[in-house]
Amino acid sequence: MTNPHKNKPWFKFLSNKYVWVLLFFSTWMIFLDNYSYFDHRFLDKQMDELEDNATYYKDEIKKDQENIKQLKNSEQIEKYAREKYYMKKDSEDIYIIEFEGDTVEKK
């Protein structure tokens, strides 16, 4: 009993043991291994997110350092206290006017 496909090129290719080893190895590395392709993609995304977070926090640190430098001046401290905490001098009156439908949100 002979195989009718034995002389076909695709059968010779698929019957080669090196092809089977290569298929097994590539399947193992892509799907099953601890360092698989999908795990690498997931870890790369996490690294990108962490790098974005790091740049964001570095920018925030720079802004905070600028604010700290400005707040070393007593006039700037007074301005900040008036704007942020609505503080006033004893001889002053403060009126806070809010409009209906105002889109500005308080922080």
Side-chain angles (χ1 to χ4, degrees):
M1 204 165 162
T2 62
N3 192 344
H5 302 292
K6 193 171 187 177
N7 292 330
K8 306 271 177 155
W10 60 269
F11 184 77
K12 287 182 181 181
F13 179 75
L14 290 179
S15 64
N16 191 340
K17 63 183 174 183
Y18 297 111
V19 171
W20 283 103
V21 169
L22 181 66
L23 285 173
F24 175 76
F25 177 74
S26 60
T27 304
W28 182 268
M29 292 304 291
I30 291 173
F31 297 107
L32 304 174
D33 194 39
N34 288 336
Y35 304 106
S36 70
Y37 172 73
F38 297 112
D39 289 341
H40 274 284
R41 282 187 43 201
F42 177 74
L43 292 174
D44 287 339
K45 286 181 185 178
Q46 278 187 338
M47 284 177 46
D48 291 340
E49 289 175 7
L50 290 173
E51 288 171 356
D52 290 342
N53 286 344
T55 56
Y56 169 76
Y57 287 120
K58 285 178 184 177
D59 292 340
E60 290 296 315
I61 288 171
K62 287 179 185 176
K63 288 179 189 176
D64 289 342
Q65 287 174 345
E66 290 290 324
N67 289 338
I68 289 171
K69 284 181 185 177
Q70 288 180 352
L71 290 175
K72 288 186 178 179
N73 185 358
S74 63
E75 293 175 5
Q76 291 294 328
I77 293 173
E78 183 179 338
K79 179 182 174 186
Y80 184 79
R82 287 172 179 264
E83 290 176 359
K84 188 77 173 178
Y85 298 108
Y86 305 114
M87 293 185 168
K88 65 179 185 82
K89 293 181 181 177
D90 290 334
S91 62
E92 293 179 336
D93 291 329
I94 294 180
Y95 299 100
I96 300 172
I97 301 171
E98 293 183 7
F99 298 101
E100 289 184 24
D102 196 6
T103 58
V104 178
E105 294 181 14
K106 292 181 181 179
K107 293 181 181 179

